[in-house]
Amino acid sequence: QVQLQESGPGLVKPSQTLSLTCSVSGGSISSGDFYWSWIRQPPGKGLEWIGYISYSGSTYYNPSLKSRLTISVDTSKNHFSLKLSSVTAADTAVYYCARAPEFYAFDIWGQGTMVTVSS
Amino acid sequence: DIQMTQSPSTLSASVGDRVTITCRASQSISRWLAWYQQKPGKAPKLLIYKASSLESGVPSRFSGSGSGTEFTLTISSLQPDDFATYYCQQYNSYTETFGQGTKVEIK
């Protein structure tokens, strides 16, 4: 059974770049028609879709984050990554990675990792 | 962008109650709508996809309906494990959006 696990720094300074990795276990990241996704949730608030990378390598980003965002895949390490530049306190959130089969919803989620932006 | 609006924001109910949550899209999304349940400190869990299809392993007391811009999630008989926050999400376009959430509380 496929499982996802986020990893990365829990504290990032303002104006720096937030970098997270989602490791995929129990299956190959390059098999199947999947969209590998990032979603975040500020403390006490709702869910916000960040973006995803498709099985073909195409990326789709939330327009509000697009100018600061890069999502990539490393098939050799079976993981995908998020880089969000020029962070501010508004980027403080629990960051989830998730999988969505094509024409499907997010069916598998990581446990989430809290990232705080503070000096 | 497609905006998703859920109502109510909070719902107080008792065990055994029939509960309905509504989600409205700002433009037609056909049936590309999902419902999730989230408990404190946990990742969301997929309940319903394509508006009315029950995800494997989800109890049959959960059901979804609707198409176009109006959707509902119904819990036929609320159980203690169902007290949580519920989110709708559209995946009609390659810019996904979630509703703001509905918290189901114990009455």
Side-chain angles (χ1 to χ4, degrees):
Chain A
Q1 183 177 355
V2 173
Q3 293 183 317
L4 307 180
Q5 177 68 58
E6 306 89 349
S7 60
L11 181 64
V12 181
K13 288 182 167 52
S15 80
Q16 293 190 344
T17 295
L18 182 161
S19 297
L20 295 174
T21 295
C22 181
S23 297
V24 179
S25 60
S28 171
I29 199 170
S30 55
S31 67
D33 300 341
F34 298 117
Y35 289 73
W36 302 98
S37 314
W38 289 97
I39 296 152
R40 69 181 182 180
Q41 185 171 36
K45 296 189 177 181
L47 299 164
E48 179 182 33
W49 174 74
I50 296 172
Y52 46 47
I53 186 164
S54 75
Y55 56 93
S56 63
S58 299
T59 52
Y60 302 87
Y61 297 153
N62 185 322
S64 69
L65 300 170
K66 187 175 182 177
S67 63
R68 302 191 288 131
L69 185 59
T70 302
I71 296 176
S72 60
V73 165
D74 187 332
T75 54
S76 67
K77 295 182 179 178
N78 216 40
H79 72 208
F80 62 106
S81 301
L82 162 75
K83 290 187 186 299
L84 184 65
S85 64
S86 305
V87 297
T88 70
D91 295 309
T92 293
V94 175
Y95 285 75
Y96 295 101
C97 58
R99 183 191 82 166
E102 191 163 30
F103 305 121
Y104 208 84
F106 300 114
D107 64 343
I108 298 176
W109 294 65
Q111 65 184 27
T113 187
M114 180 68 200
V115 179
T116 301
V117 178
S118 174
S119 56
Chain B
D1 294 359
I2 300 175
Q3 307 301 318
M4 307 301 293
T5 304
Q6 284 181 239
S7 60
S9 296
T10 306
L11 187 160
S12 296
S14 301
V15 172
D17 284 353
R18 181 181 180 88
V19 166
T20 299
I21 300 168
T22 298
C23 182
R24 290 186 175 87
S26 59
Q27 65 188 73
S28 178
I29 57 169
S30 185
R31 294 176 58 81
W32 301 114
L33 184 103
W35 290 98
Y36 300 86
Q37 177 193 68
Q38 188 179 34
K39 296 182 178 179
K42 300 293 187 182
K45 173 188 174 183
L46 178 64
L47 300 175
I48 301 283
Y49 63 95
K50 209 169 180 183
S52 61
S53 296
L54 195 67
E55 176 72 347
S56 176
V58 174
S60 59
R61 63 180 180 273
F62 291 93
S63 63
S65 64
S67 66
T69 62
E70 296 264 342
F71 301 86
T72 58
L73 172 71
T74 299
I75 309 173
S76 60
S77 177
L78 198 65
Q79 298 301 301
D81 191 47
D82 301 338
F83 292 97
T85 300
Y86 294 84
Y87 293 92
C88 63
Q89 175 235 335
Q90 68 81 18
Y91 53 107
N92 177 71
S93 61
Y94 290 109
T95 305
E96 324 245 321
T97 45
F98 291 88
Q100 79 278 18
T102 296
K103 186 175 182 179
V104 177
E105 297 181 329
I106 300 172
K107 190 172 184 179

